[in-house]
Structure formats: C-alpha cells, structure tokens
Amino acid sequence: QATLSRDMKELGVSRIARGGTLRYSIPAESDASALRPIVGAEVVGIEANEFLIVVHTLPGAAHTVGEYVDVQLSEDILGTVAGDNTLLVIPASATKTRQVLTYLKHILIEGAA
C-alpha cells in the first residue's frame, strides 16, 4: 500500500472529496497514459454478461480504475460505478457489451504490460 501511495503521488493522482465521499482524481488525459501501468496492476479480472461488465480490482482500487476508464471518454461507455474492489461498467447499449469488454481488456490489462 505504501509503495502504491507513493507512486500515485509521484504521478499526480490526488484524492478529492466529492459529495461526502473521497475519490481519486488523475491528471489531464494527456498525462493519464502514465497511470496505465499502475491501473493495470490493480485489475484482478474482468467479467461480462449480455448487458454489463464488472472489473474486479485490488481492495480500494476500483475508484482509481473507474476514473481512468472515465477519462478515456469512450462513446461506447455510458458510465461507471465504483465500489471498493469492484467497478461496474455500463455500455451505451447491449449491442456494445462485447466491444467494450474487448476495449477494457486492452486498456486495462494488455496495454498495461
């Protein structure tokens, strides 16, 4: 945890209070690529059904991964909802679920190597 916290601080990730909860905020989109290896290391797995995608993360990492997905501004993603270690990704339509699943695997797992 301490190493991850130092890395996040070095990359400019900050915690901000919004609506009574703490959220992670990452740098502008151009700087977000620097977070790719960290975000990828936090992802444990990705699953989907016909309509929704669930990203499993290390404890406490779902907000960071969710923010990273959000700043990608994909038109195929309606939104994300983060818990502690689970991120729900909502595709823009049911017909986009498999496409979004492939996209998430690319940006969160394959591209993180």
Side-chain angles (χ1 to χ4, degrees), residues 30-101:
S30 61
D31 295 334
S33 62
L35 290 177
R36 184 180 244 176
I38 291 174
V39 170
E42 293 176 336
V43 174
V44 175
I46 303 175
E47 301 176 289
N49 64 15
E50 297 82 16
F51 309 104
L52 301 171
I53 300 166
V54 175
V55 178
H56 299 281
T57 71
L58 296 175
H63 287 278
T64 305
V65 175
E67 184 68 17
Y68 181 78
V69 171
D70 289 342
V71 299
Q72 304 305 311
L73 302 175
S74 172
E75 292 180 5
D76 294 334
I77 298 175
L78 188 61
T80 61
V81 179
D84 181 63
N85 64 347
T86 306
L87 174 69
L88 175 64
V89 180
I90 305 164
S93 70
T95 60
K96 299 284 188 179
T97 303
R98 292 293 157 211
Q99 182 178 334
V100 173
L101 178 62

